[in-house]
Amino acid sequence: MTVSDETLALAAAGGDREAFGQLILRLHDRIFRLAFRLTGSRADAEDLTQDICAALPAKLQGYRGEASVTTWLYRITVNASRDRFRRLGTHARAADGWGDWEIARRAEAAETAERLDWLRLAMDRLTPPELRETVVLVLEGLSHAAVAEVLGVSEGTVSWRMSEAKKKLKQMLEAEA
């Protein structure tokens, strides 16, 4: 004599592991078939079936035997499928625009790299060397007073050198345009 799905479900809800194992053996293929029809993808159906089977012990606590196990399980499968599509839609909406953002980010990074390359080359051509040293120290974040101390010159000299360096760099940039 075979035990009904409903009897197995009620026993599994009560903690009977053997009943739960038999129930899974009976219902796994049904869950998979429905999940496959709902998702249209074997991989998604396998994932959904696995998720449902993993959640089934907790779900069985809510099973009261008012509907057939198959009807109850189909409801769970349909709801799980809806949740999965909703999550995927949310992820897709969240990812939407990231491609454009990444393209813009890469373009900005390339532009920044190009500017830095130009500045590095321009700094190499900046003469006399004292101008280059002054600019480098200022770009390192040192104050004019600190640069003056490092180079052993007055703060006014540092300010004059920075002004001269800006003029020369601007001339180089205009000459290339």
Side-chain angles (χ1 to χ4, degrees):
M1 179 174 187
T2 60
V3 179
S4 71
D5 292 344
E6 289 72 22
T7 303
L8 286 174
L10 290 170
D16 185 336
R17 289 177 180 227
E18 188 175 324
F20 179 75
Q22 288 179 4
L23 189 64
I24 290 294
L25 285 173
R26 283 189 191 179
L27 300 176
H28 184 274
D29 290 344
R30 290 184 203 171
I31 297 168
F32 175 78
R33 278 194 308 271
L34 179 60
F36 182 75
R37 288 185 184 118
L38 291 170
T39 64
S41 161
R42 181 175 184 84
D44 287 341
E46 288 171 350
D47 289 346
L48 194 59
T49 302
Q50 183 177 357
D51 291 347
I52 291 167
C53 289
L56 206 50
K59 298 269 187 202
L60 280 168
Q61 300 305 314
Y63 180 70
R64 301 288 173 243
E66 296 166 359
S68 74
V69 170
T70 305
T71 301
W72 174 79
L73 192 58
Y74 282 0
R75 187 175 314 119
I76 289 173
T77 306
V78 167
N79 288 337
S81 175
R82 287 177 181 165
D83 289 346
R84 184 175 188 83
F85 281 119
R86 201 171 12 253
R87 276 193 312 275
L88 291 174
T90 301
H91 291 306
R93 282 190 303 278
D96 192 29
W98 280 98
D100 295 339
W101 177 84
E102 179 62 15
I103 290 168
R105 186 194 66 77
R106 288 183 183 183
E108 185 179 333
E111 186 177 323
T112 300
E114 187 177 317
R115 286 181 183 163
L116 289 173
D117 285 345
W118 179 87
L119 184 58
R120 184 186 50 78
L121 291 172
M123 290 288 289
D124 287 345
R125 295 182 309 198
L126 193 59
T127 56
E130 292 81 15
L131 289 181
R132 187 172 46 251
E133 295 167 352
T134 303
V135 171
V136 167
L137 291 170
V138 169
L139 289 176
E140 282 295 313
L142 275 65
S143 68
H144 284 208
V147 173
E149 188 177 328
V150 169
L151 296 177
V153 296
S154 72
E155 197 172 332
T157 301
V158 171
S159 296
W160 177 84
R161 286 180 180 175
M162 285 302 297
S163 176
E164 285 299 305
K166 286 178 186 177
K167 285 180 195 173
K168 288 188 176 200
L169 290 171
K170 184 177 180 183
Q171 288 170 353
M172 286 181 208
L173 186 60
E174 288 171 353
E176 292 179 13

